[in-house]
Amino acid sequence: MPCCHPASVNLDVANIYYSLTKMLRPLLIVEIGCFIGFSTQHFAQAIKELGFGRIISIDAFDWDVDAGRGMQNRFDVAEYYKNKANVGAIVEFIKGYSTEVYPAIADQIKQKIDLLYIDGDHSINGVFADFNTYYNDVRVGGFVILHDIYPEMCGVDGPRALVDCLKAKHVPHNIELIEMQTKDGFGIALLRKINDKPLQVTPIVKLVEKSWWRLINALPLRMSRTSFERQIIIQVVDALTQQPIIGVKMICPQRFNEERISDSNGLINLSHYLPNRYLMDFYAEGYQDARNQLFDISSEKFSGIVRLKSLS
Ligand SMILES: C[S@@+](CC[C@H](N)C(=O)[O-])C[C@H]1O[C@@H](n2cnc3c(N)ncnc32)[C@H](O)[C@@H]1O
């Protein structure tokens, strides 16, 4: 089927979903946000191979898309590939807004969800509403996957706000949570529900957002909200003069050759990086290449320096 990344997850992420489903052996998966069914098909293929389980996939299906077969409603595209893959008995599509359709499926899913996948409305209100509506029907020991948790890469901030809120209030007492970087940089979070305490979360970020952004915008570095929380910065300077170098290209092979360019202060903001030991390459016109520079980014606040030698 056509892969429409970034509207669909990229193939590596979809393969994680397939493998996770094979490992977790869920009886019921609820997916919020089907689009044309790319992630759905990966969950479904695993379920098909397991020989048990089913998927309820919810989407508003409220606009058409050209997925390689001319303009079509996304529901029709998803249905077409569902039938083509012979997973019709496994997947049930529910048309409508996730919170609105809940009453219609509540009886089927109450306390029964083994794997909840939230990838629908990515706004803060949307993600919190989906979590509040469906999380309490995840069984104890069940899992939740959140997609798009790194706003700087994916451009949406709802999933990040939810991860931060859960970490502040419910990890580790009610939920286990790990963040994973993905090839596209958008990231996923994997949550495990460890007790049956009902949760209703509120977006704490929103309450302080206005003053928060005013403060950030006043800062000379104009850091994003994530970078404000995690300050991970590398400065590139001339080895001889110690002057910052503007426009240096940094490439990080461990982050799938992600590129960053140093700003007018020679600074490169890496606050979306997860703790790791990173090898990075630096290139600037008029300077010797600096390859395989090692940075051990293991804390929330990190600053490193790279000194480039001039060619002249
Ligand atoms: C990022 S796409 C999902 C991609 C899909 N999970 C995949 O990887 O192939 C988000 C989808 O969520 C749907 N959506 C957004 N808000 C929604 C809501 N409140 N209720 C149901 N679906 C919603 C959109 O129509 C869109 O198809």
Side-chain angles (χ1 to χ4, degrees):
M1 70 181 301
C3 170
C4 295
H5 182 68
S8 306
V9 292
N10 84 5
L11 184 57
D12 296 281
V13 175
N15 282 331
I16 292 174
Y17 297 165
Y18 165 80
S19 302
L20 257 179
T21 307
K22 290 290 283 275
M23 280 163 52
L24 300 177
R25 308 165 76 78
L27 288 182
L28 177 61
I29 297 176
V30 172
E31 174 180 64
I32 302 170
C34 162
F35 186 54
I36 56 168
F38 190 66
S39 51
T40 324
Q41 291 287 2
H42 285 75
F43 289 124
Q45 181 60 29
I47 293 282
K48 185 174 161 184
E49 289 169 23
L50 285 168
F52 52 81
R54 68 191 188 101
I55 302 166
I56 292 177
S57 180
I58 303 161
D59 201 296
F61 294 116
D62 50 359
W63 37 272
D64 295 348
V65 71
D66 184 347
R69 296 162 42 81
M71 283 308 275
Q72 266 185 300
N73 186 269
R74 286 170 296 129
F75 178 79
D76 297 332
V77 180
E79 273 285 323
Y80 171 82
Y81 286 105
K82 178 178 94 167
N83 294 330
K84 194 170 176 193
N86 200 18
V87 289
I90 292 169
V91 181
E92 180 188 357
F93 292 126
I94 305 285
K95 242 188 208 182
Y97 291 102
S98 47
T99 48
E100 290 175 12
V101 299
Y102 176 80
I105 55 172
D107 284 348
Q108 293 184 63
I109 68 174
K110 273 239 174 305
Q111 311 289 306
K112 289 195 197 117
I113 304 175
D114 300 292
L115 177 57
L116 171 64
Y117 178 45
I118 300 181
D119 191 19
D121 178 349
H122 288 63
S123 68
I124 293 179
N125 284 342
V127 176
F128 276 71
D130 282 340
F131 184 85
N132 286 336
T133 306
Y134 288 92
Y135 175 79
N136 293 326
D137 286 329
V138 176
R139 67 165 172 81
V140 177
F143 289 79
V144 182
I145 302 172
L146 304 175
H147 189 238
D148 297 320
I149 61 167
Y150 297 125
E152 190 172 338
M153 301 303 289
C154 62
V156 288
D157 55 3
R160 177 78 249 161
L162 178 60
V163 167
D164 288 345
C165 170
L166 294 174
K167 280 180 158 182
K169 294 187 173 172
H170 298 295
V171 175
H173 311 295
N174 305 317
I175 291 173
E176 293 170 342
L177 186 155
I178 55 165
E179 295 185 23
M180 284 179 267
Q181 51 193 3
T182 53
K183 183 167 183 176
D184 49 20
F186 296 0
I188 58 175
L190 182 62
L191 285 55
R192 194 169 80 95
K193 178 170 179 169
I194 55 178
N195 63 35
D196 60 2
K197 186 176 171 183
L199 299 186
Q200 285 291 303
V201 288
T202 44
I204 40 173
V205 173
K206 227 186 146 198
L207 297 173
V208 291
E209 206 164 49
K210 278 193 181 145
S211 49
W212 187 250
W213 279 107
R214 225 175 282 136
L215 176 65
I216 288 167
N217 287 333
L219 291 173
L221 290 177
R222 289 186 64 95
M223 292 176 288
S224 71
R225 189 176 70 230
T226 17
S227 61
F228 189 75
E229 289 155 0
R230 313 182 67 234
Q231 292 174 359
I232 297 167
I233 283 174
I234 287 176
Q235 188 176 37
V236 194
V237 299
D238 183 298
L240 200 63
T241 65
Q242 308 301 322
Q243 288 304 304
I245 310 175
I246 304 166
V248 178
K249 181 156 85 175
M250 183 221 81
I251 294 181
C252 182
Q254 281 153 282
R255 285 187 60 95
F256 314 102
N257 292 328
E258 182 187 306
E259 286 185 21
R260 295 271 140 166
I261 305 286
S262 66
D263 69 9
S264 55
N265 295 309
L267 297 174
I268 300 174
N269 188 341
L270 303 175
S271 299
H272 58 296
Y273 274 43
L274 291 182
N276 203 345
R277 279 158 31 92
Y278 290 101
L279 285 173
M280 296 172 185
D281 304 333
F282 296 83
Y283 306 93
E285 225 180 292
Y287 288 89
Q288 287 177 20
D289 296 347
R291 296 219 178 98
N292 294 325
Q293 304 293 305
L294 179 67
F295 294 94
D296 189 343
I297 299 178
S298 50
S299 77
E300 299 276 293
K301 305 232 180 305
F302 174 89
S303 57
I305 196 152
V306 180
R307 294 179 178 80
L308 297 188
K309 289 186 187 142
S310 170
L311 287 171
S312 56

